[in-house]
Amino acid sequence: MLVLHAWWRAPSGTDDGALVVWAEDSAVPPVAPRPGRPARGAAHPFAADAAQLSAALALPLDLGDRRELTLPTLRGRPEASPELPREDERAAGTGRPAVWSVPVLELAPAVALEVLLAPLEDDVAAGSTWRHLVTVAAFADELAARGRALPVVLAPPVSPFGVRPWGGRAVWRPLVTGADAAWSRAVALALPPAGLAADADPARTPADVVASALDALTDAALRRRLSAAGAAPARATSGPAWLAALVTPGDGSFEASAGAVAALSAELARWEKDVVGGPARARFRLVEPPEGDPDDLWQLEFALQSTVEPSLVAPAAQVWAGEEAAAALARLVPAPRQALLTELGRANRLYPELARALRAARPEALVLDSAGAHAFLREAAPVLAAAGFGVDLPGWWGRPQARLGARLKAVARTQPGVVAGGAGIGQDALVDYSWEVALGDQSLDAEELARLAELQQPLVRLRGQWVELDPRRLKRGLELLEEPPGVALTLAEVLGLAATLDEETTGLPVIGVEGDGWIRDLLAVAADERIERVPAPESFHGTLRPYQERGVAWMTFLDRVGLGGVLADDMGLGKTVQVLALLALDRPEDTTLGPTLLVCPMSLVGNCQREAERFTPELRVHVHHGSDRARGEDFAAAVETADLVVTTYAVAARDVEALREVPWRRVVLDEAQAIKNAATRSAQAVRSLAARQRIAVTGTPVENRLADLWSILDTTNPGILGTAPAFTRRFAVPIERHGDEDAADRLRTLTRPFVLRRLKTDRSIIADLPEKLEMEVVCSLTREQAALYQAVVDDMLRKVEESEGIERRGLVLATMTKLKQVCNHPAQLLRDASALPGRSGKLERVEAIVEEVLASGERALLFTQFAEFGGMLRSQLTQRFGREVLFLHGGVPKKERDAMVARFQAADAGSPALFVLSLKAGGTGLTLTAANHVLHVDRWWNPAVEDQATDRAFRIGQRRNVQVRKLVCAGTVEERISAMIAEKRGLAARIVGTGESWLTELSTEELRELVSLDASAAVAD
């Protein structure tokens, strides 16, 4: 397998930069590590050659070249990227940067756009930089499709002799305003550090990279669309050469004198300023007529808004009167009155109706009748908003309740239990469907539509609410009601139809699906009264809480009608228990149905075994994992005698052929976020398995993008949300990029039957879960710690001034690690095996807390991100209290890990009371409810990761309040970042949530402020 990486080369001379691609090859044999640093420009040992790259991307070989990249290097060889599946490349630690020579392909923007938007082959994976540039390319293509670009003329650079060459370049540049600007900033923040690995200019920022790539790719996307539309004229006969150069393939070069190019460039710049605006913009607010107004006159009110501080808005009346709001605006906008007139004049070119208001000396508003208001809502408002003006419309506008829509009505031909063999209904059951026309929730018949059409008013107040009556939609609604019922479709086809059809294809917006019988129950399945309670069978050794009974009943209902689902309960609510109760219901019903396959991450195999033994001891469980796992006839024999087969995602991908031979009763995907990328081998493997039902189990159905949800739901119910491109167009882009609440509502309606989500914080779901008490424990530094801390800071600040690019980033990350080590204990940084007592304020605080825990007869979990410090903690706590301390880290074998968990969870008095865990090894997949104290000895600076670790104790089965302590050292970087997380937790989850990589982009002065040791910090003796 090849793992693709890429970066965008900076513009050079007269080009717009280029996409440079290289790849790692998983087939390259392991290379023995060498001590010391490699020679500069040594060949990258894992890099694919140019021929492999060309074949993988279906490109000519003559594009090949070699480039030098600065990459993290450990023990004399480059560190493999996380996407490269190489067991030998998992050494801990971050390597120092070194320069490596790699074979590359350099692609011009037009070719780059095609390659980035094309799907990859099965044996090619996308690295983080490739995925990022795919996002940029999709953004550029979308901007081109929406016409969000302006023409620009570039003059060629002046020669060293002061001569400007003949000719110029006509190119398209993206017009990024409003939500697009916010999206562009987010994309720049998300640039992986490796995206700058080959930049010779250390001053080039992520924003520079994204802007350069977006410029070039938008130009290529527009030229492609114009060429496909036949807009390319012949240069000799089609007017100005620069205009022809804008709509023809190529780099946009045209012939003209230097003076003509300069004049044209200046004219276009003035035009762009006129289009985009300056430090202030006009804002328009449409106000409805008051109740009872016989004339139904609307008011379009004017205001002036700062583009620098959008919260500063002054109504036109205040601008003319010079009142307080306008005075505040004047600090940022010179001459607000002139600015308002200028902006209204600019808007008048797009909305000529404003000319009536501009006849007044001091225009404040424009009066409109209902036809004028409708024209503004439908035509002018989108144009003004696209041009950068502020537009405030009534809240009802754009909502489904305010306009006619079409609704699919599905009628089941077969009822549950009719299909022979108890096979249920399923996605393939035939249903009859027809169309209904509705205004919001109210269905309308043909007679009502005809009466509305007679009003001949585009906006009507109906039942106390304004609604839009578009004559074309009224006509289309009448046509739909007259159409005969459609040909019978499968349920999956009907639901997929509702997910993919839109106004362009039906003439009316599709607002939902209704059904009768079991289809009605399915669509309303989230309502408790629609789900018949299913008590746990006698073979289930446990008690289900009410919400867990509902979860089992929901999965049983879906199974009865032959559909899959996503059990997306919050972490700790017992998803595995609900699945086991469902499996226990199967055995007495029919032993010929076949076994259930449970696929999970490797770290959860032991947990699944233990849970099955505890709650369903009668289930025959076979674990298909490990190098000695059963194969061939042995595997077939093992499966034949099993009720539950447990395997991992990695093994499922490797043994997919054998797994396909089994007629599975059910496939359960635990931690189903593992298949959020539909293109991975694991996702494709589980999709290919034949099963009557698929259940996905995950606490995070949407981790990063809505595409995650599509992938999971399309695995459990193929086709239920339409194709991936249609889903992206109708839901992902409107919701993620534009915050479209209507699209979000439609998606919730479509997915509600197949996703069951309950939150632990909802007291109506579980009222008997104890409280979680979180507190920050501030520790003092010893003098030794303070001196070491200051030395590390001084060393970094001295070196960071002399470093640049990836070397600087590596230095910052290494320093953050050292500072956290100093805060833990000087011996961790020095690694000198010296004595521990009396040298660390944090360790002393840990000991004090542990003493109280042990005195009260309770138990504690202690999390650290450093395995070596975990060993120190274990040694010190064992010596200090004379008690056994368990220690789990990544090097502990599965069998020993399972034994540790069992001993800690045991109820007997001799069980260990203290459990030290490496955050990576023990932060997920474990149930450790014997502890009711959690200590985060050092912070990961990722709230989600810390919450996951805390939930090892704060979960179902916990009967005591859980006390969570997060230890930080006063006056240090720990305290400052902890404050950031506490004050802006949502922002921290998005930006700080990736670890410390965001710190590398801070300026030297910002770093100094963040890491410096406060003079007032308490220092313990």
Side-chain angles (χ1 to χ4, degrees), residues 532-871:
E532 183 180 348
R533 294 290 191 275
V534 178
E538 294 182 2
S539 60
F540 181 79
H541 293 201
T543 302
L544 295 177
R545 288 178 167 79
Y547 78 89
Q548 291 175 324
E549 287 186 346
R550 291 196 295 274
V552 175
W554 172 74
M555 289 186 286
T556 302
F557 172 82
L558 290 181
D559 183 51
R560 187 163 60 99
V561 298
L563 294 166
V566 181
L567 182 60
D569 286 346
D570 203 359
M571 180 180 295
L573 289 184
K575 297 185 288 292
T576 303
V577 170
Q578 295 174 66
V579 171
L580 289 172
L582 177 68
L583 268 57
L585 287 169
D586 287 342
R587 293 197 72 231
E589 179 184 328
D590 190 345
T591 57
T592 65
L593 291 175
T596 288
L597 176 68
L598 191 152
V599 189
C600 64
M602 189 275 289
S603 60
L604 295 188
V605 171
N607 184 68
C608 293
Q609 282 181 275
R610 289 192 303 276
E611 297 284 270
E613 291 170 0
R614 175 184 174 189
F615 292 104
T616 52
E618 296 180 17
L619 282 183
R620 298 165 297 177
V621 180
H622 171 71
V623 176
H624 185 64
H625 176 65
S627 57
D628 59 345
R629 63 184 180 274
R631 291 180 170 85
E633 294 181 359
D634 292 339
F635 173 70
V639 169
E640 190 173 350
T641 58
D643 300 307
L644 174 64
V645 177
V646 181
T647 191
T648 67
Y649 287 101
V651 172
R654 294 191 197 105
D655 294 359
V656 63
E657 296 300 330
L659 296 175
R660 283 178 185 153
E661 298 297 321
V662 181
W664 299 104
R665 163 73 178 92
R666 179 184 290 110
V667 172
V668 178
L669 307 172
D670 201 358
E671 298 293 340
Q673 61 270 23
I675 60 164
K676 64 183 180 181
N677 184 348
T680 62
R681 288 180 59 205
S682 298
Q684 292 175 350
V686 297
R687 283 168 182 267
S688 69
L689 303 180
R692 278 193 45 191
Q693 184 185 37
R694 290 192 180 95
I695 295 290
V697 179
T698 175
T700 52
V702 179
E703 280 198 322
N704 300 308
R705 305 170 302 145
L706 283 175
D708 302 347
L709 179 63
W710 178 88
S711 180
I712 295 172
L713 270 171
D714 198 65
T715 301
T716 57
N717 294 296
I720 215 76
L721 289 178
T723 63
F727 179 84
T728 299
R729 175 176 55 83
R730 192 176 184 204
F731 296 111
V733 169
I735 295 171
E736 294 176 341
R737 197 163 301 168
H738 307 301
D740 190 330
E741 287 298 328
D742 291 337
D745 288 340
R746 292 196 303 272
L747 181 59
R748 278 191 291 270
T749 299
L750 287 169
T751 58
R752 187 178 294 119
F754 312 105
V755 180
L756 187 61
R757 173 78 164 160
R758 279 82 63 89
L759 300 178
K760 191 162 46 184
T761 53
D762 185 351
R763 307 306 291 184
S764 67
I765 294 297
I766 177 166
D768 57 345
L769 188 67
E771 296 290 340
K772 178 171 65 173
L773 310 175
E774 296 189 85
M775 62 201 82
E776 184 171 284
V777 178
V778 180
C779 311
S780 299
L781 296 176
T782 64
R783 293 189 183 279
E784 181 186 9
Q785 283 178 296
L788 272 175
Y789 187 101
Q790 192 62 53
V792 172
V793 170
D794 292 344
D795 184 58
M796 180 199 72
L797 293 176
R798 176 177 56 81
K799 292 180 178 178
V800 80
E801 296 286 0
E802 305 168 0
S803 60
E804 58 188 24
I806 195 169
E807 183 178 1
R808 182 183 188 275
R809 297 183 183 92
L811 174 62
V812 172
L813 291 176
T815 300
M816 295 304 148
T817 298
K818 290 179 181 178
L819 292 179
K820 289 198 281 187
Q821 291 173 338
V822 171
C823 291
N824 281 347
H825 200 287
Q828 184 185 355
L829 176 70
L830 300 174
R831 298 188 177 182
D832 56 0
S834 54
L836 300 181
R839 300 171 61 196
S840 167
K842 185 179 285 188
L843 181 59
E844 289 181 6
R845 193 72 189 96
V846 169
E847 290 179 355
I849 295 170
V850 167
E851 186 173 17
E852 294 178 8
V853 171
L854 295 178
S856 62
E858 296 174 335
R859 302 185 188 186
L861 307 178
L862 298 91
F863 286 99
T864 174
Q865 64 177 289
F866 300 105
E868 67 270 29
F869 186 58

Side-chain angles (χ1 to χ4, degrees), residues 502-528:
D502 53 23
E503 190 168 353
E504 293 181 5
T505 51
T506 63
L508 288 174
V510 179
I511 59 177
V513 183
E514 280 193 351
D516 70 344
W518 66 268
I519 298 179
R520 181 184 63 247
D521 292 345
L522 172 67
L523 297 175
V525 76
D528 289 345

Side-chain angles (χ1 to χ4, degrees), residues 870-919:
M872 294 179 186
L873 273 177
R874 179 191 190 187
S875 174
Q876 177 62 18
L877 296 177
T878 300
Q879 182 178 348
R880 169 75 168 76
F881 299 106
R883 304 277 291 267
E884 181 184 6
V885 179
L886 299 175
F887 177 34
L888 175 62
H889 54 86
V892 176
K894 174 183 172 299
K895 185 175 181 180
E896 187 177 342
R897 167 195 176 110
D898 294 346
M900 283 184 185
V901 172
R903 291 189 61 210
F904 188 79
Q905 287 290 92
D908 57 277
S911 300
L914 301 176
F915 203 157
V916 177
L917 303 101
S918 153
L919 193 61

Side-chain angles (χ1 to χ4, degrees), residues 122-147:
D122 293 343
D123 57 348
V124 180
S128 60
T129 52
W130 182 272
R131 295 193 299 270
H132 184 267
L133 280 167
V134 168
T135 301
V136 176
F139 185 29
D141 194 49
E142 185 201 341
L143 290 173
R146 291 193 282 125

